[in-house]
Amino acid sequence: MARSTDTNSAKPSAKELRSRVLQYISEQKNNTFNYKQVAFAIGADTPAAHKIIALQLAELAFDGDLIEVSPGKYKAPQRSNVTTGTFVRRSNGKNSVVTDEDGETIFVAERNSMHALNGDKVKIIVAARRKGMEAEAEVLEIIEKKEQTFIGTLRVEKQYGILVTDSKFLATDIIIPKGKLKGGKTGDKAMARITSWDDEEKNPKGEILDILGRTGENTTEMHAILAEYGLPYRYPESVEKAASHIGPGITDEVVAQRRDMRDVTTFTIDPKDAKDFDDALSFRLLPNGNYEVGVHIADVTHYVKPDSIIDKEAQKRATSVYLVDRVVPMLPEHLSNGICSLRPDEDKLTFSCVFEMDNDANVVRKDIVRTVTRSNRRFTYEEAQDVIETGKGDYADEILTLDRLAKILRKKRYEEGSVEFDRAEVRFDIDETGHPVDVYFKESKDANKLIEEFMLLANKTVATAIGKPAAKKKPKAFVYRVHDMPDPTKLAELAKVARTFGYKIKETGSPKEVNRSINKMLADVKGKGEENFLSTLAIRSMAKAIYTTENVGHYGLGFDFYTHFTSPIRRYPDMLVHRLLERYLHGGRSVNAEKLEEQCKHDSNMEQLAATAERSSIKYKQVEYMGDHMGEVYDGVISGVTEWGLYVELTDNMCEGLVPVRDLADDYYDFDEKNYCLVGRRNNVRYRLGDNVKVQVARASLEKRQLDFVLLDDRTRRGDEDTAGKTVSVRQALSKQSQKRRNNGGNQRQKTRSRKH
């Protein structure tokens, strides 16, 4: 339906609006829509009309004339009652199917599930929707079973074993026949798969695939986290053996084919516990007064050939995985920590971006070339930071000049629309058994930002060279790191929450204007109690960065072209980029874009799995750490509000726990989703997102990786109190807490591991 543009007519009545809405709906076939889309299409742009349309859609859904596929999103009920979809199994019994046709989520009772597992492709029949009732479906057939495993703790009886699962996707335990235990004993943590689950059986039968170790032991639990997400926790011996036969191979013949830069001052700057140095910087003053800055990256693909046993393993893993206490490398350690690592005083093969820059950090000339380099010094971030702060130390002139150039580059980047995210991250000191004994915050300082800025420049340069070829040539298939525009709904939610703290964020306008408003908010919250909360919310409002052959630019960085070139030791996409660069710089034809896109999707998925596993390991250590502090009282900030309770992030250590709504015994609380708060029915007491509270550590469940707190806060939160005054009060209280944390953390350590963009 074309948008109505009759601005001369009188304001439409509710009846006329309803007529227009129904006309719009009748033309949508199987498309989904929300009230804003309807309002725009029929030309009803006033807030009053928006409200009427939203109510009309809700009424139509209640009457069964529309299907509400998700909160606020509707479609006309025109599809067949038999369809296919993906089964979603939950341990709380709230199973559902997400339909292939339109993404609608439909409830499936356990009795109607055919014991489908999470991720299975199924055929369902949808029961006729009763007025005001939730749609319900029955599984008719399991079309395709998804390969999956389950982690749990074994209990061995006389005739069989039982795996008590940790999974949030399975409500029942798995029965293991005696001959399928693989030597497992009671108390072992194990990985199993389901082999059968008959309709009449309450519990599935399965077999043990691997014994991970004794439940509660550190290595066992870290391996369990990796196994839970289908990530490898051991390296195949055959791959290790193949890697061990690879030598440096830096012969005169190899050097002759490269730019020899071994006589140029070069150094690495990395975390103090790093062993895989995949990037280095070189620096020298040119006769014309300009600077030559080299960004040198380990030439992994010189050693790892396509389709070799090492390459196939790296391709499958796609990324190194960083847990709290260990790294699970993408490449065997002989390569990642040895042959490829840019260790000091060793000749290394590198792939480089070499820039000529003037005094104002303008790039006068750039070359992408394979090189031979030799690092003169290995700096930790702390050592480089000390040089920046004192002006003294090894290669002080080089580091200070690079720092100055990096700051100019960063300033330009922000002026051109890059978003400045700098959220504190929690890290742990652990003892020899893996037990956390202290918590501290990772802080990004000038030394970190120096390296980050030159890596960004190299990645941008490589992507532009391929994505924007000279002489109007057609770009060849390439791997881009893209970051799409923020979801308008999430951006509006961020703006709404920011307003409650007194900050303004633009919801519309050019990307540069929106990002500048976000940057201003992020700058204004520095040092305030709401800093962590609002910066986290800002990150969540953004789309996820992914790998793809379809370049849409990188919204967060404000770059039209961007890729990942700088970490081939730990990321497979970077290896792909190196190979494509070598091919195209020598005039090679474009590779198959469809095949390359498939690998990009795999790499994006594995990156997300690795990030989820990392967060799980942090959560596990947080719970383990707080288990030593049962009954202690902490100040915190309400970081999340749900129908089941309040999430509170502790100010001192950023550990997050739940105050279950069942423990708020003074009243019955309703969840106000629009205003991010719980509201007491009797006393109208409100607990809002961002409020500061005092809590006591009540429970620490390592099995569930969950902390439970008891609320000790007795401050009044009446619904009729002055909102502006309340906001100021909360902000002041939070600011005091934040200042206390910063004062206590004056000697905070840095432990920057990855530079993710």
Side-chain angles (χ1 to χ4, degrees):
M1 179 177 181
R3 186 186 181 195
S4 171
T5 57
D6 184 6
T7 57
N8 296 320
S9 60
K11 291 182 180 179
S13 64
K15 184 177 180 181
E16 186 180 351
L17 275 177
R18 184 177 178 85
S19 176
R20 291 189 193 178
V21 169
L22 292 174
Q23 174 66 21
Y24 172 85
I25 291 170
S26 69
E27 297 172 354
Q28 295 312 298
K29 296 183 179 179
N30 212 34
N31 296 327
T32 58
F33 47 84
N34 58 33
Y35 80 89
K36 287 185 179 179
Q37 291 169 310
V38 178
F40 179 82
I42 67 176
D45 292 339
T46 67
H50 281 198
K51 186 175 181 180
I52 291 172
I53 292 168
L55 288 171
Q56 287 177 349
L57 294 177
E59 288 173 1
L60 289 168
F62 183 79
D63 293 339
D65 296 322
L66 284 181
I67 296 171
E68 189 172 14
V69 298
S70 61
K73 190 175 181 182
Y74 304 91
K75 68 179 286 294
Q78 296 174 347
R79 62 165 167 72
S80 164
N81 63 339
V82 175
T83 188
T84 60
T86 302
F87 194 83
V88 180
R89 174 172 286 280
R90 296 292 179 188
S91 60
N92 59 9
K94 294 183 179 180
N95 306 326
S96 60
V97 168
V98 178
T99 63
D100 295 330
E101 188 177 11
D102 50 30
E104 181 180 358
T105 300
I106 306 175
F107 173 72
V108 180
E110 182 60 36
R111 65 182 180 279
N112 296 324
S113 71
M114 288 186 68
H115 294 322
L117 297 178
N118 191 64
D120 287 352
K121 285 287 185 182
V122 295
K123 180 189 288 185
I124 60 170
I125 183 169
V126 183
R129 185 190 295 265
R130 290 179 291 173
K131 182 176 178 180
M133 299 295 288
E134 181 183 21
E136 189 169 339
E138 178 181 351
V139 176
L140 299 176
E141 179 187 354
I142 299 175
I143 300 171
E144 181 183 344
K145 282 192 164 293
K146 179 185 176 183
E147 284 294 322
Q148 55 194 295
T149 57
F150 297 91
I151 310 300
T153 302
L154 269 175
R155 190 172 77 242
V156 180
E157 309 289 349
K158 286 186 177 181
Q159 303 299 325
Y160 57 87
I162 300 170
L163 187 76
V164 182
T165 63
D166 300 336
S167 175
K168 60 183 178 182
F169 299 120
L170 194 64
T172 61
D173 300 331
I174 302 173
I175 306 300
I176 311 293
K178 198 76 171 179
K180 302 290 185 179
L181 287 170
K182 210 169 185 177
K185 301 179 178 61
T186 296
D188 283 347
K189 181 144 284 191
M191 176 170 61
R193 72 179 184 93
I194 292 174
T195 54
S196 65
W197 196 355
D198 296 338
D199 286 345
E200 64 276 8
E201 292 179 338
K202 180 181 177 182
N203 297 84
K205 290 187 175 69
E207 63 178 352
I208 298 300
L209 299 176
D210 197 11
I211 303 298
L212 303 175
R214 300 297 291 174
T215 297
E217 292 181 356
N218 183 64
T219 295
T220 299
E221 298 300 336
M222 294 300 105
H223 284 179
I225 287 171
L226 292 166
E228 177 184 349
Y229 298 106
L231 296 168
Y233 48 90
R234 295 193 185 98
Y235 226 101
E237 284 186 20
S238 57
V239 181
E240 296 273 17
K241 186 176 180 180
S244 68
H245 294 308
I246 297 176
I250 305 178
T251 63
D252 291 342
E253 182 182 1
V254 170
V255 171
Q257 297 171 358
R258 296 169 176 258
R259 181 182 296 185
D260 191 345
M261 298 186 68
R262 288 176 290 184
D263 61 343
V264 182
T265 298
T266 303
F267 45 80
T268 60
I269 305 177
D270 287 281
K272 60 185 177 183
D273 58 350
K275 296 176 182 177
D276 53 344
F277 312 136
D278 52 13
D279 59 78
L281 293 179
S282 68
F283 179 90
R284 65 178 163 187
L285 182 65
L286 298 174
N288 63 2
N290 287 341
Y291 308 111
E292 181 192 81
V293 180
V295 179
H296 306 290
I297 309 302
D299 194 355
V300 173
T301 56
H302 175 84
Y303 300 102
V304 181
K305 301 303 181 185
D307 298 323
S308 65
I309 186 173
I310 301 172
D311 182 60
K312 288 178 180 178
E313 183 68 22
Q315 185 179 37
K316 182 171 65 176
R317 292 177 177 234
T319 181
S320 295
V321 183
Y322 292 81
L323 303 185
V324 167
D325 67 334
R326 70 194 63 207
V327 179
V328 183
M330 180 183 74
L331 295 170
E333 288 191 11
H334 177 68
L335 293 176
S336 61
N337 295 356
I339 297 297
C340 297
S341 185
L342 307 185
R343 300 185 296 195
D345 303 320
E346 295 181 11
D347 291 351
K348 295 291 179 179
L349 301 182
T350 43
F351 214 151
S352 307
C353 286
V354 183
F355 302 99
E356 180 181 340
M357 306 179 79
D358 65 19
N359 203 45
D360 296 320
N362 296 307
V363 176
V364 177
R365 185 177 59 83
K366 50 184 174 284
D367 291 320
I368 303 172
V369 60
R370 277 188 147 146
T371 54
V372 185
T373 54
R374 185 180 181 88
S375 173
N376 303 105
R377 171 76 148 82
R378 184 259 162 132
F379 286 94
T380 65
Y381 280 118
E382 292 84 355
E383 290 170 338
Q385 185 64 32
D386 187 61
V387 172
I388 292 171
E389 291 176 359
T390 66
K392 299 177 181 178
D394 293 344
Y395 303 108
D397 290 342
E398 290 86 348
I399 289 177
L400 290 172
T401 303
L402 287 170
D403 178 59
R404 183 178 61 80
L405 295 173
K407 285 172 178 170
I408 297 173
L409 290 172
R410 187 158 60 252
K411 185 173 182 291
K412 289 179 181 178
R413 183 161 57 83
Y414 291 145
E415 288 173 350
E416 292 170 2
S418 187
V419 183
E420 184 179 7
F421 289 119
D422 191 19
R423 187 181 186 274
E425 295 181 33
V426 66
R427 290 291 183 263
F428 300 89
D429 276 337
I430 56 177
D431 64 19
E432 63 278 0
T433 67
H435 187 79
V437 294
D438 192 17
V439 182
Y440 61 95
F441 302 111
K442 185 189 82 174
E443 185 180 359
S444 184
K445 294 188 176 181
D446 287 340
N448 306 80
K449 294 174 182 178
L450 183 162
I451 291 296
E452 177 186 44
E453 213 57 49
F454 283 104
M455 297 307 118
L456 291 176
L457 179 62
N459 287 331
K460 178 183 177 182
T461 299
V462 167
T464 305
I466 304 302
K468 193 178 179 181
K472 297 183 179 179
K473 293 181 180 179
K474 185 179 179 181
K476 297 175 181 178
F478 197 58
V479 176
Y480 296 98
R481 179 69 168 179
V482 306
H483 184 232
D484 212 344
M485 299 273 288
D487 181 276
T489 303
K490 290 183 179 179
L491 192 60
E493 289 175 357
L494 171 64
K496 178 183 175 182
V497 175
R499 279 196 298 272
T500 67
F501 287 94
Y503 306 108
K504 186 177 181 180
I505 291 177
K506 287 182 69 68
E507 300 176 48
T508 57
S510 69
K512 186 180 292 188
E513 291 172 334
V514 172
N515 285 359
R516 279 177 177 169
S517 72
I518 293 174
N519 280 342
K520 186 177 187 308
M521 183 272 286
L522 292 172
D524 290 344
V525 300
K526 287 285 186 184
K528 297 186 173 70
E530 63 266 27
E531 177 184 353
N532 252 8
F533 164 61
L534 286 178
S535 59
T536 300
L537 207 60
I539 292 171
R540 290 176 182 172
S541 72
M542 296 289 167
K544 289 187 184 298
I546 61 170
Y547 300 105
T548 179
T549 57
E550 299 292 329
N551 182 42
V552 297
H554 197 294
Y555 177 87
L557 291 172
F559 292 166
D560 292 329
F561 299 92
Y562 190 66
T563 190
H564 271 172
F565 161 77
T566 53
S567 293
I569 287 178
R570 62 183 180 87
R571 295 188 303 224
Y572 196 76
D574 301 56
M575 289 177 60
L576 289 174
V577 166
H578 281 219
R579 286 175 181 154
L580 292 171
L581 264 181
E582 177 69 8
R583 180 188 182 100
Y584 296 158
L585 290 176
H586 287 83
R589 298 179 63 182
S590 180
V591 299
N592 183 287
E594 290 184 5
K595 186 176 180 181
L596 187 61
E597 181 66 22
E598 287 179 10
Q599 183 64 45
C600 285
K601 288 180 179 177
H602 171 73
D603 293 345
S604 296
N605 291 336
M606 293 303 292
E607 177 189 40
Q608 289 302 315
L609 281 176
T612 303
E614 179 182 358
R615 287 193 296 270
S616 291
S617 76
I618 291 171
K619 186 66 180 178
Y620 185 91
K621 290 301 175 187
Q622 285 179 326
V623 175
E624 190 176 9
Y625 175 76
M626 294 308 295
D628 295 337
H629 300 271
M630 297 294 293
E632 294 184 17
V633 176
Y634 291 87
D635 292 325
V637 179
I638 295 178
S639 55
V641 182
T642 69
E643 59 186 329
W644 55 85
L646 305 168
Y647 285 96
V648 175
E649 184 179 274
L650 303 184
T651 308
D652 287 343
N653 54 36
M654 290 176 64
C655 293
E656 187 179 62
L658 177 69
V659 177
V661 71
R662 65 176 181 271
D663 290 347
L664 298 175
D666 63 318
D667 203 345
Y668 187 92
Y669 285 86
D670 294 312
F671 175 43
D672 182 350
E673 186 175 8
K674 290 184 178 179
N675 294 303
Y676 302 92
C677 64
L678 289 179
V679 184
R681 289 185 181 180
R682 180 168 52 85
N683 295 323
N684 203 30
V685 170
R686 296 176 180 236
Y687 292 101
R688 299 180 178 122
L689 202 64
D691 279 354
N692 87 298
V693 292
K694 195 176 289 291
V695 295
Q696 185 177 39
V697 183
R699 288 174 289 273
S701 172
L702 283 171
E703 293 75 19
K704 296 179 179 179
R705 295 177 208 147
Q706 181 175 311
L707 282 174
D708 281 357
F709 297 146
V710 172
L711 196 67
L712 300 182
D713 186 76
D714 60 355
R715 192 165 51 81
T716 302
R717 291 184 175 83
R718 300 293 178 186
D720 58 357
E721 68 182 351
D722 178 71
T723 303
K726 168 64 168 51
T727 301
V728 171
S729 170
V730 172
R731 289 177 64 193
Q732 288 173 344
L734 290 171
S735 296
K736 289 178 182 177
Q737 288 185 10
S738 179
Q739 189 59 49
K740 176 185 175 184
R741 181 177 70 190
R742 289 174 179 275
N743 290 341
N744 290 339
N747 296 318
Q748 288 171 345
R749 291 144 292 182
Q750 303 175 82
K751 196 176 181 182
T752 302
R753 171 193 38 84
S754 63
R755 309 172 192 106
K756 296 180 182 176
H757 292 282

